[in-house]
Amino acid sequence: MTVPALQLDGLRKSFGKTEIIRGIDLSISAGERHAVIGPNGAGKSTLFNLITGRFPQTSGNIRLHGHDLKGLAPFEINRMGLSRSFQITNIFPKMSVFENVRCSLLWSQGYKYSFWNMVSRSRELTEGAMEILDQINLSSRAELPAGVLSYAEQRALEIGITIAGGADVIMLDEPTAGMSHSETDYIVELIRKVTEDKTLVMVEHDMGVVFGLADRISVLVYGEIIATGRPEDV
């Protein structure tokens, strides 16, 4: 039997007496592109925060490739192969585009808690960062401060940071929010390219993006999944 990339069983989250996530069961296969949709206030961002360790679950289980994530910190979950982007762009604006990506490569390249390694001298880090910049179409912007990039380019950079650590489960929280049609088309093609052979879980309000990317959709309403299936069925 194949172990799902991500498995949620009876997942619940309460803040005080208010229950936000109310018993979610969901299985996402390795290599699947899965979209979570629903109205504002449905609990989508809370669900992401539970899976990635930002919030502890009240009850239930979350498993990544069969491994229980209960009690793990976000960085520990990341090192197990799960990475995420945020609804609000989260980059280092004063560092160069290249440096943003290079920082995200450090742990996976073996640069742990060391003050003696000169990362600028590492050929592997430089080549790895430039390879990712090529993937996200930002190699020509490598030396610019990340804060001067356009909004769509900053989102692309965040996606590059998300994939840089080599995670095989990628979670994107509203990756096209606030974009024009042309910017959205650019990001959709980028997501399709960089998540090839990976598991993708995304929250997205743009149904064109959802139907263009997702293999399956889950509809979340008031903390409960009311439907899961292929886009045409949902």
Side-chain angles (χ1 to χ4, degrees), residues 20-26 34-39 42 44 47 216-230 233-234:
I20 304 300
I21 299 297
R22 304 191 294 169
I24 290 180
D25 298 307
L26 181 63
H34 197 102
V36 179
I37 64 174
K44 301 184 296 296
L47 178 61
R216 287 199 306 154
I217 298 172
S218 289
V219 184
L220 185 66
V221 179
Y222 296 123
E224 296 180 291
I225 289 179
I226 62 171
T228 294
R230 299 177 302 172
D233 296 332
V234 171

Side-chain angles (χ1 to χ4, degrees), residues 20-228:
I20 304 300
I21 299 297
R22 304 191 294 169
I24 290 180
D25 298 307
L26 181 63
S27 180
I28 299 175
S29 301
E32 180 180 335
R33 290 174 175 158
H34 197 102
V36 179
I37 64 174
N40 291 331
K44 301 184 296 296
S45 290
T46 299
L47 178 61
F48 260 44
N49 287 331
L50 289 171
I51 294 170
T52 56
R54 296 193 82 202
F55 295 161
Q57 66 258 46
T58 300
S59 62
N61 295 299
I62 305 169
R63 291 185 174 86
L64 178 67
H65 299 306
H67 300 288
D68 192 354
L69 301 185
K70 189 172 184 178
L72 297 182
F75 74 88
E76 294 174 310
I77 295 171
N78 176 262
R79 291 171 189 173
M80 291 174 67
L82 185 150
S83 189
R84 70 168 293 181
S85 71
F86 291 84
Q87 190 172 346
I88 299 173
T89 305
N90 193 17
I91 59 174
F92 298 106
K94 293 184 179 180
M95 293 171 60
S96 73
V97 173
F98 171 80
E99 288 168 335
N100 268 264
V101 174
R102 185 174 64 183
C103 280
S104 62
L105 283 169
L106 290 174
W107 186 271
S108 63
Q109 294 279 356
Y111 289 83
K112 299 181 172 61
Y113 302 110
S114 172
F115 294 95
W116 309 112
N117 287 314
M118 296 290 289
V119 295
S120 60
R121 297 176 183 172
S122 170
R123 179 179 173 183
E124 291 80 6
L125 276 176
T126 299
E127 290 179 349
M130 290 308 299
E131 183 177 336
I132 289 170
L133 290 176
D134 284 340
Q135 281 187 274
I136 61 176
N137 303 322
L138 288 179
S139 55
S140 64
R141 319 284 267 171
E143 300 306 319
L144 290 177
V148 307
L149 296 179
S150 70
Y151 177 66
E153 288 173 331
Q154 288 187 14
R155 296 299 276 177
L157 176 58
E158 188 174 23
I159 290 171
I161 292 169
T162 303
I163 66 170
D168 58 3
V169 177
I170 305 297
M171 301 186 67
L172 304 179
D173 194 353
E174 297 193 31
T176 67
M179 291 188 182
S180 67
H181 289 301
S182 61
E183 289 173 330
T184 296
D185 290 343
Y186 161 63
I187 291 297
V188 167
E189 286 306 311
L190 175 61
I191 293 170
R192 183 178 288 113
K193 179 173 68 172
V194 301
T195 60
E196 188 173 353
D197 299 324
K198 298 180 186 290
T199 304
L200 172 65
V201 185
M202 65 177 179
V203 166
E204 182 56 63
H205 285 289
D206 188 323
M207 290 299 99
V209 173
V210 170
F211 284 97
L213 282 172
D215 301 315
R216 287 199 306 154
I217 298 172
S218 289
V219 184
L220 185 66
V221 179
Y222 296 123
E224 296 180 291
I225 289 179
I226 62 171
T228 294

